[in-house]
Amino acid sequence: MMARLVFLGRLADLAGGAEREVAPGSLARIMADMGPELAQALAGPRVRLALNGALVAGDGLVLKAGDELAFLPPVSGGSSRSG
Amino acid sequence: MVSFLGQVRADSSQQGDDVEALELQHYAPLTLPGMEALARDVLGRWALDGLLIWHRVGEMAPGDPIVLVAAASRHRRDAFAAADFAMDHLKSESWFWKREKRAGQWAWVEPREQDYADLARWGQAGV
């Protein structure tokens, strides 16, 4: 069984899709398997991570089968002049 | 009771063409729980008789409603402050990502410093 990566906001465009299945393992290895441009964006200082719906730090993270890791770029719910 | 209804504006947040459509994306495991936590925070700060925070997701057109915040209190100032606080935090901290379609092209909206400055009004740093 695989682990699932979820990309929000502009990260989905960089990743070429909102979700991606990957083999379980360390986040470091998973990131190494990605293209450098995407990996660099995902490692950005203001990108937050949520493992199975809970915010986590990236360092030392290991994904098990069935885990979902979401990459959350800075939120932009209201920055246009809508209110 | 104080209420604020945020709607999609036709003029874009960036220069150039008008906004043809807007899309609000969310992340289910975080977005609603985050709004519930915000509501608890607001209820803990002001004496309110009621609070409503309602936010749509998906694609919207100019004029469509996006967000509604309503606060009821015996004291007018509490209702105004609560609604204002909730809106500032919805815009800068809640788990939503917005993109705008202009001239047929979708573009993600990047957070503005203003959104973080709005938080500073309440003596808090942004996410």
Side-chain angles (χ1 to χ4, degrees), chain A residues 9 13 46 68 78 81 83, chain B residues 9 25 27 91 108 116 127:
Chain A
D13 299 348
R46 293 174 66 199
E68 175 174 290
R81 290 171 290 120
Chain B
R9 293 168 66 122
Q25 189 184 50
Y27 181 55
K91 291 186 71 165
W108 290 98
Y116 298 120
V127 164

Side-chain angles (χ1 to χ4, degrees), chain A residues 6-13 18 46 48 50 52-55 68-83, chain B residues 4 6-7 9 11-13 24-27 29-30 66 91-100 108-112 115-116 127:
Chain A
V6 175
F7 306 103
L8 278 306
R10 62 180 173 74
L11 296 178
D13 299 348
R46 293 174 66 199
R48 312 281 307 276
N52 302 326
L55 292 172
E68 175 174 290
L69 181 66
F71 293 87
L72 311 161
V75 294
S76 60
S79 50
S80 74
R81 290 171 290 120
S82 64
Chain B
F4 171 81
Q7 295 171 290
R9 293 168 66 122
D11 51 350
S12 158
S13 65
L24 259 296
Q25 189 184 50
H26 74 298
Y27 181 55
L30 292 178
I66 303 173
K91 291 186 71 165
S92 54
E93 277 189 344
S94 294
W95 297 102
F96 293 103
W97 294 267
K98 173 188 285 189
R99 61 178 185 164
E100 290 175 343
W108 290 98
V109 172
E110 293 301 323
R112 297 174 317 169
D115 296 332
Y116 298 120
V127 164

Side-chain angles (χ1 to χ4, degrees), chain A:
Chain A
M1 204 168 124
M2 304 284 270
R4 182 176 40 246
L5 304 182
V6 175
F7 306 103
L8 278 306
R10 62 180 173 74
L11 296 178
D13 299 348
L14 280 174
E19 294 190 9
R20 177 183 297 196
E21 299 274 318
V22 292
S26 76
L27 180 58
R29 183 195 53 76
I30 290 167
M31 298 278 267
D33 292 346
M34 291 184 184
E37 190 197 351
L38 177 55
Q40 192 185 358
L42 296 180
R46 293 174 66 199
V47 174
R48 312 281 307 276
L49 299 178
L51 178 61
N52 302 326
L55 292 172
V56 290
D59 35 29
L61 200 58
V62 175
L63 296 190
K64 306 187 305 299
D67 276 353
E68 175 174 290
L69 181 66
F71 293 87
L72 311 161
V75 294
S76 60
S79 50
S80 74
R81 290 171 290 120
S82 64

Side-chain angles (χ1 to χ4, degrees), chain B residues 65-113:
Chain B
I66 303 173
V67 56
L68 174 63
V69 170
S73 171
R74 278 174 233 289
H75 310 298
R76 155 183 105 254
R77 283 199 176 76
D78 288 350
F80 273 102
D84 194 15
F85 180 99
M87 265 314 299
D88 278 347
H89 284 74
L90 267 176
K91 291 186 71 165
S92 54
E93 277 189 344
S94 294
W95 297 102
F96 293 103
W97 294 267
K98 173 188 285 189
R99 61 178 185 164
E100 290 175 343
K101 183 188 237 181
R102 290 187 310 279
Q105 292 296 319
W106 284 103
W108 290 98
V109 172
E110 293 301 323
R112 297 174 317 169
E113 283 321 306

